[in-house]
Amino acid sequence: MTSQIRIALRNCGIIDPEQIEDYIARDGYIALAKVLTELSPETTIDIIKKSGLRGRGGGGFSTGLKWEITRKVQAAQKYVVCNADEGDPGAFMDRSILEGDPHSVLEAMAINGYCTGGSKGLVYIRAEYPLAVERLKIAIKQAKEYGFLGENILGAGFNFDIEIRFGAGAFVCGEETALIHSMEGLRGEPTVKPPFPSEEGYLRKPTNVNNVETYANIPVILNKGWEWFSSIGTEKSKGTKVFALAGKINKVGLIEIPMGTTLREVIYEIGGGIQNGKEFKAAQTGGPSGGCLTKRHLDIPIDYDNLIAAGSMMGSGGLIVMDEDDCMVSIAKFYLKFTVEESCGKCSPCRIGNKRLLELLEKIVQGNGTMEDLDKLRNLSTVIKDTSLCGLGQSSPNPVLSTIENFYDEYSEHINKKKCRSGVCKALMQYLIIPDNCIGCTLCARNCPVNAITGERKQAHLIDQEKCIKCGACMEKCKFNAIIIN
Amino acid sequence: MKIRSKEELNKLRDVLKAKAAGLAQKDNSSSIIQVKVTMSTCGIASGSRPIFDFFKEELAKRNIPAKVSQSGCMGFCYAEPTVEITIPGENPVIFGFVTNKKADEIIERFIRKGELVEGIIPQDYETVIFN
Ligand SMILES: Cc1cc2nc3c(=O)[nH]c(=O)nc-3n(C[C@H](O)[C@H](O)[C@H](O)COP(=O)(O)O)c2cc1C
Ligand code: SF4
Ligand code: SF4
């Protein structure tokens, strides 16, 4: 039987997030107390390193290693940042953790401060998450009242405070350097790495940036030991991953699975299969930076490395399921449109290149594409990936490349046969009246918003394809099944 | 209330843990029916706030002692609003797509009489929860 294992979500849906007592009753702040009184920063970092925990915000960098790097840089002031920007479409993991268990993140940030030498924590969260913000505020206030934040925490002589910083909801501000600039009051634009934030971040001081879910794992690892944590998962991906299941799946929801669970188990067991008994076509992971997994990939154990090998990526955990009614060219176009809107515009490959990619895709869905355009898409994608400044541009062509790779037939059908098998691309559709079925009732003509239908009463009608805007009104109204989509 | 040491925290944790366990135990002096309403963005958007108020007001009006509280997302976003009911000594049961009418039925039949009521979210996979 497929199992969910809830580590990051251990308290979500169980405790009242506005009652710190509920969190304490479930061993809340015990890890912080243990670290402050029994473990040195080095030992603590060592435990996190050995646990095998990797960043859940997308990149999958070793969390322990990042903490060690931040610790080793000498500076009078260091910062601890929680990345709660969560900008990919369809993702709601981090929001759910902050809404359901905000203290787990606060506790982990304090532990990070103790380990790296930071005394100030900042949660960067989009203002579009009002409930998460509200619960965070309440949690910070309560943690201060109980003395888990503030001066001389638990009598151990450690000082740590946390503040909230609001983002305006730009996808690029989830990128850590852009996030830091946004907090500094500058434009939310990335800068070249190195220097990495761990070396030179907020206000040019060493800054440890981790994702919400990464932090939420920390207290459990310290309470239960790294051996326990690293016994879950695959060889190089330890523990669990939270996914937000969305799209054409029966049980849209929030799940947490051990690394190594297959896509088949996620979709058909936990997710209850595809809506309306339709056929599974693809699942997008990694949002606009990722790619699609197909039927071929249903039995691959999900972990960081396998997803990359499959042409996608873990990303932060959005998992959008598509069925036979989704057109993969349009899906690629959707993600690219998102990227074009969200690109900060600082570097030309991303600003101009993605726009050109989008135009090529638009040409194909309009039925004007050529096979040459496919080569252009591929070549330009490679250039954008190789030359963009930040992760946004470096990964933005992924949805295009992965859909071409996995659904080449659909692209070539759009180009050569001017056909969209899912019936999504309107320019490739034709509403036709079958003369034999048409009794000339005139109902369709009277309902066409653009007067595209002509014909005498009691005689077969005709649709003027030049005028038709493909709204479908005529087909809906016809009582004799005389109108079809070609 | 400031916690000044690890020992103080451990003590508080033990007290709170025992208190929470006591609520769910059968024949404990503090045992009580617990109603948890999912109040995350997905839950509230689907209408869980009025359901929360309904349980709170109606249980009081009908003289059924109960602890009504809010929680974060239980994961069943497709079935919001969701409500978890724990009768002392029994396993918690989660209901999905709860409306005021369903809530009334849950109170009268499930809570009062212990009858099975439709709308229970089936758990067809195992969930291991750590703390
Ligand atoms: C365009 C872009 C958007 C990103 N958005 C997020 C985000 O919303 N949340 C997040 O945690 N990391 C995001 N990241 C990754 C961060 O730059 C950074 O790697 C991460 O916060 C580090 O935390 P982790 O090691 O715990 O994953 C994004 C990266 C890029 C390039
Ligand atoms: S790759 Fe795109 S988002 Fe990143 S810096 Fe360049 S223009 Fe901005
Ligand atoms: S699809 Fe719409 S626009 Fe086209 S003929 Fe029918 S009613 Fe007119």
Side-chain angles (χ1 to χ4, degrees):
Chain A
M1 187 159 73
T2 307
S3 297
Q4 289 203 50
I5 298 186
R6 299 197 153 212
I7 300 173
L9 297 179
R10 63 196 175 278
N11 294 323
C12 259
I14 293 185
I15 65 169
D16 181 337
E18 298 182 15
Q19 302 288 338
I20 191 172
E21 292 83 2
D22 278 22
Y23 182 65
I24 297 173
R26 291 181 52 81
D27 294 337
Y29 292 106
I30 297 287
L32 177 64
K34 177 172 163 181
V35 165
L36 291 184
T37 56
E38 292 169 25
L39 304 177
S40 69
E42 289 86 356
T43 316
T44 312
I45 290 176
D46 203 44
I47 294 171
I48 304 299
K49 264 167 85 177
K50 284 193 186 134
S51 75
L53 177 66
R54 293 168 67 174
R56 303 297 194 233
F61 190 75
S62 159
T63 304
L65 205 55
K66 185 183 281 185
W67 291 25
E68 189 174 68
I69 295 168
T70 318
R71 172 170 179 77
K72 282 192 175 151
V73 182
Q74 298 289 327
Q77 174 76 52
K78 295 182 190 175
Y79 293 96
V80 178
V81 169
C82 173
N83 186 345
D85 188 61
E86 197 168 50
D88 14 342
F92 51 89
M93 305 73 55
D94 296 345
R95 185 191 73 205
S96 301
I97 292 176
L98 290 170
E99 285 177 1
D101 191 17
H103 286 285
S104 65
V105 174
L106 302 184
E107 180 179 2
M109 288 175 73
I111 293 170
N112 179 277
Y114 173 72
C115 290
T116 59
S119 59
K120 180 115 202 150
L122 299 161
V123 181
Y124 185 85
I125 183 167
R126 50 180 55 222
E128 291 156 337
Y129 279 178
L131 186 65
V133 168
E134 183 59 30
R135 296 214 168 126
L136 255 179
K137 280 187 182 159
I138 293 171
I140 292 173
K141 184 164 167 277
Q142 290 173 344
K144 282 185 180 159
E145 280 164 12
Y146 273 77
F148 301 128
L149 292 176
E151 310 246 302
N152 192 17
I153 295 169
L154 292 163
F158 169 65
N159 306 331
F160 191 77
D161 236 322
I162 297 182
E163 274 179 32
I164 303 177
R165 292 295 160 87
F166 299 103
F171 178 56
V172 73
C173 286
E175 196 283 335
E176 51 195 7
T177 60
L179 181 152
I180 287 168
H181 299 315
S182 163
M183 291 200 305
E184 290 168 338
L186 304 172
R187 273 189 186 213
E189 287 178 351
T191 39
V192 182
K193 293 188 277 191
F196 289 92
S198 291
E199 301 152 357
E200 194 183 306
Y202 183 60
L203 303 177
R204 316 210 119 208
K205 299 286 185 280
T207 303
N208 186 92
V209 184
N210 273 128
N211 165 262
V212 171
E213 186 187 334
T214 312
Y215 280 124
N217 278 290
I218 299 287
V220 195
I221 295 175
L222 292 166
N223 283 335
K224 297 185 80 82
W226 64 265
E227 296 90 342
W228 167 80
F229 188 81
S230 67
S231 72
I232 302 165
T234 61
E235 196 197 334
K236 289 191 179 144
S237 304
K238 300 301 185 189
T240 57
K241 180 77 194 85
V242 179
F243 283 99
L245 276 188
K248 308 281 181 61
I249 189 143
N250 275 319
K251 296 183 180 172
V252 168
L254 193 66
I255 65 165
E256 182 169 353
I257 48 166
M259 297 277 189
T261 306
T262 64
L263 190 60
R264 186 185 301 282
E265 290 169 312
V266 169
I267 292 177
Y268 290 98
E269 291 180 37
I270 300 175
I274 307 296
Q275 283 174 8
N276 304 316
K278 297 246 171 160
E279 203 177 323
F280 166 72
K281 189 187 248 180
Q284 178 86 10
T285 62
S289 313
C292 58
L293 302 168
T294 66
K295 280 184 203 154
R296 284 197 295 138
H297 304 114
L298 277 171
D299 293 308
I300 293 176
I302 297 175
D303 71 6
Y304 288 99
D305 310 291
N306 283 340
L307 287 188
I308 287 180
S312 184
M313 62 180 259
M314 183 74 83
S316 55
L319 202 158
I320 301 178
V321 178
M322 288 159 270
D323 70 5
E324 50 189 290
D325 294 338
D326 289 301
C327 160
M328 296 315 286
V329 185
S330 304
I331 295 284
K333 203 185 97 186
F334 166 81
Y335 282 113
L336 209 65
K337 189 153 172 272
F338 177 83
T339 319
V340 167
E341 278 163 12
E342 296 292 331
S343 163
C344 80
K346 184 171 175 172
C347 64
S348 30
C350 171
R351 181 185 67 243
I352 305 169
N354 279 315
K355 193 128 195 169
R356 295 291 95 85
L357 281 185
L358 183 60
E359 286 165 3
L360 286 168
L361 288 177
E362 187 60 40
K363 199 174 153 199
I364 294 174
V365 302
Q366 288 296 334
N368 302 321
T370 62
M371 290 311 270
E372 242 180 13
D373 291 334
L374 274 188
D375 291 334
K376 277 193 201 154
L377 276 175
R378 283 208 189 96
N379 291 339
L380 183 53
S381 290
T382 314
V383 173
I384 296 172
K385 280 175 71 120
D386 288 347
T387 54
S388 288
L389 191 158
C390 85
L392 191 147
Q394 286 157 16
S395 61
S396 58
N398 287 349
V400 180
L401 291 174
S402 115
T403 47
I404 294 182
E405 160 83 18
N406 289 300
F407 297 96
Y408 188 83
D409 287 355
E410 285 195 33
Y411 276 88
S412 74
E413 267 173 22
H414 278 76
I415 293 169
N416 296 325
K417 299 193 184 144
K418 310 288 173 221
K419 185 179 149 197
C420 171
R421 62 171 84 171
S422 319
V424 172
C425 297
K426 286 200 169 171
L428 305 183
M429 283 163 41
Q430 271 188 336
Y431 283 87
L432 290 179
I433 296 178
I434 309 171
D436 286 351
N437 290 6
C438 177
I439 62 151
C441 71
T442 74
L443 197 59
C444 59
R446 279 182 278 138
N447 279 285
C448 174
V450 292
N451 295 323
I453 306 182
T454 52
E456 296 293 312
R457 226 186 146 71
K458 296 194 176 155
Q459 293 194 357
H461 282 46
L462 189 71
I463 297 176
D464 181 345
Q465 297 300 336
E466 292 288 300
K467 280 192 187 165
C468 172
I469 55 166
K470 286 140 196 178
C471 69
C474 52
M475 190 160 107
E476 214 171 275
K477 282 281 173 338
C478 181
K479 294 187 176 112
F480 305 94
N481 293 324
I483 302 181
I484 56 158
I485 299 179
N486 185 11
Chain B
M1 166 173 70
K2 274 245 181 334
I3 310 284
R4 293 180 197 285
S5 68
K6 187 178 150 205
E7 291 67 36
E8 265 183 56
L9 176 61
N10 280 337
K11 218 181 280 166
L12 176 67
R13 187 256 328 253
D14 293 343
V15 170
L16 291 171
K17 209 170 232 179
K19 205 166 123 192
L23 298 179
Q25 263 163 20
K26 208 177 168 74
D27 305 324
N28 186 305
S29 58
S30 57
S31 51
I32 194 166
I33 289 160
Q34 295 178 72
V35 178
K36 241 184 258 175
V37 184
T38 304
M39 301 271 262
S40 50
T41 293
C42 48
I44 293 172
S46 314
S48 65
R49 221 184 270 282
I51 301 294
F52 179 87
D53 295 340
F54 185 90
F55 274 107
K56 194 135 196 149
E57 286 159 23
E58 290 301 314
L59 286 165
K61 242 189 249 166
R62 302 178 199 187
N63 289 318
I64 303 173
K67 179 179 177 226
V68 182
S69 60
Q70 62 169 354
S71 77
C73 178
M74 298 184 201
F76 311 107
C77 310
Y78 70 97
E80 296 293 348
T82 50
V83 176
E84 184 190 86
I85 314 271
T86 313
I87 310 242
E90 288 174 33
N91 284 332
V93 172
I94 301 173
F95 291 90
F97 304 106
V98 180
T99 55
N100 277 3
K101 190 160 162 259
K102 178 57 74 180
D104 178 70
E105 197 187 344
I106 292 172
I107 295 174
E108 286 308 314
R109 294 187 44 213
F110 183 76
I111 294 182
R112 246 200 240 279
K113 304 194 187 126
E115 295 173 5
L116 270 191
V117 171
E118 262 185 59
I120 294 177
I121 296 185
Q123 291 284 33
D124 37 19
Y125 49 82
E126 191 189 358
T127 304
V128 190
I129 298 171
F130 290 99
N131 67 327

